[in-house]
Amino acid sequence: MRTKVKTYAKINLTLNICGASGGFHDIESLVTTVDLFDTVILSPRKDDKIVLKMRGAGEDIPPEKNNAYKAAKLFSETFKTGGADIEIVKRIPLAGGLGGSSADAAGVLNAMKKAYEIDEDVKPLADKLGSDTGYMLSGGFAVISGRGEKVKKIETDLKLNLVLIYAKSGVNTADCYKEFDLSGASGMISDTGAAEKALKNGDENGLYKEVGNALYLPASALNAEVKENLDEMKSLSPKASGMTGSGSTVFGIFETEELCRWAVEKLKRKDIDAEYVTTITPSDKKLFGIFG
């Protein structure tokens, strides 16, 4: 039985670096998923082989180094199932801070659960595959902490309209954290607790005040496009703007879809790669459901 899964990109509305432990940085971040997605198409196999094909991006990544491949292998070994033929159609840019690798791993785990009719929780597997992979299993608004494995869901009806600007080149996450350590930059630039409270209360202006990312300065030091693109976004007077993840994608939040589409048009006239997206939550059943 062939199974298809849409697996969504995430935006870090806040991102603080709280310290380090065990060789990893501890973070605190208010995150949300947006309607930019990769599609995972999976068919179970009678043997234990994992065959992965990437389309759109990532074709040159060796399968054994791809988190989607690792997810399928870990699932098969854990639950003693067969392997899978997997095709991933990429739309989430690589090295853009949008969680594409984690999204693909989460999508494969969800597809394997469906294909092999496994009801058990796969978050423990997801947490072994990437810092925010467990969160990406279901998405929505949440505060993630630790390495990203601690997930506190936030129930809200708030819908944000955003414009993304994609850089021509990405930022390597490990390099960005290394640059952060060398720079001595502050890791605590947002009050994530205040942002969470504002979100729960529907206080959009309170939320916008806290948008920020402790990795912005190191990312812009590694890739000049990050600052250039954020300056372009700010020139359009969004309610809030920032960078997601370790870069290189920047975003602006606007009051309406119409303003977002106006901003995208303005940016594209300057030959800037921009796209309108909106936040989605697990309650959007038609969007988050497994289909096919």
Side-chain angles (χ1 to χ4, degrees):
M1 178 183 69
R2 191 176 77 155
T3 299
K4 288 186 180 181
V5 174
K6 289 181 180 179
T7 187
Y8 292 89
K10 58 83 181 167
I11 298 288
N12 298 85
L13 296 171
T14 70
L15 199 164
N16 292 325
I17 311 297
C18 308
S21 60
F24 293 95
H25 290 82
D26 292 324
I27 67 165
E28 174 193 71
S29 180
L30 174 61
V31 289
T32 184
T33 34
V34 295
D35 60 349
L36 168 68
F37 61 88
D38 291 348
T39 303
V40 176
I41 305 163
L42 184 146
S43 299
R45 294 176 60 99
K46 293 182 179 179
D47 58 24
D48 62 358
K49 287 185 64 177
I50 309 295
V51 180
L52 175 66
K53 179 180 179 182
M54 306 294 292
R55 287 175 48 197
E59 295 97 334
D60 57 343
I61 300 173
E64 62 275 7
K65 293 187 176 182
N66 191 306
N67 267 3
Y69 177 93
K70 293 176 183 178
K73 188 169 181 60
L74 182 58
F75 184 98
S76 177
E77 291 173 348
T78 300
F79 296 111
K80 312 302 182 190
T81 66
D85 291 319
I86 305 166
E87 181 178 359
I88 298 179
V89 182
K90 291 289 296 177
R91 286 190 64 239
I92 304 173
L94 299 173
L98 293 159
S101 175
S102 296
D104 292 345
V108 166
L109 290 176
N110 282 330
M112 291 284 279
K113 278 190 69 172
K114 176 69 174 178
Y116 281 106
E117 299 181 342
I118 299 291
D119 294 328
E120 294 183 50
D121 183 13
V122 293
K123 186 175 181 300
L125 304 189
D127 289 339
K128 295 179 181 179
L129 296 164
S131 59
D132 51 9
T133 307
Y135 157 71
M136 302 291 264
L137 288 169
S138 57
F141 285 98
V143 172
I144 60 175
S145 57
R147 289 178 56 194
E149 81 283 0
K150 299 174 184 176
V151 182
K152 181 167 67 170
K153 296 287 187 181
I154 301 172
E155 298 297 328
T156 177
D157 293 327
L158 182 64
K159 180 178 178 180
L160 300 179
N161 294 289
L162 305 96
V163 173
L164 306 182
I165 296 180
Y166 304 124
K168 294 180 176 65
S169 57
V171 174
N172 179 275
T173 299
D175 289 346
C176 192
Y177 276 101
K178 184 177 180 180
E179 181 69 21
F180 170 82
D181 290 337
L182 293 172
S183 70
S186 172
M188 303 296 291
I189 65 169
S190 300
D191 187 335
T192 298
E196 178 185 357
K197 183 178 178 180
L199 181 61
K200 288 178 176 177
N201 292 337
D203 177 10
E204 295 185 37
N205 289 328
L207 173 63
Y208 299 153
K209 278 174 53 180
E210 300 302 334
V211 170
N213 188 326
L215 293 175
Y216 167 70
L217 290 177
S220 56
L222 293 170
N223 185 342
E225 287 183 275
V226 173
K227 182 180 185 305
E228 293 167 5
N229 288 341
L230 189 57
D231 287 346
E232 288 285 356
M233 185 68 77
K234 287 179 177 178
S235 75
L236 299 172
S237 301
K239 301 297 290 184
S241 59
M243 180 188 79
T244 183
S246 56
S248 57
T249 303
V250 302
F251 64 89
I253 306 173
F254 293 83
E255 288 184 285
T256 65
E257 176 181 344
E258 290 73 22
L259 281 172
C260 284
R261 297 198 181 280
W262 166 82
V264 168
E265 183 62 27
K266 294 274 284 187
L267 292 165
K268 287 189 172 180
R269 286 177 187 171
K270 294 184 176 182
D271 199 29
I272 295 171
D273 189 6
E275 183 174 9
Y276 163 65
V277 297
T278 184
T279 54
I280 56 172
T281 68
S283 61
D284 298 323
K285 299 299 185 184
K286 290 182 180 178
L287 295 172
F288 263 92
I290 296 173
F291 62 98

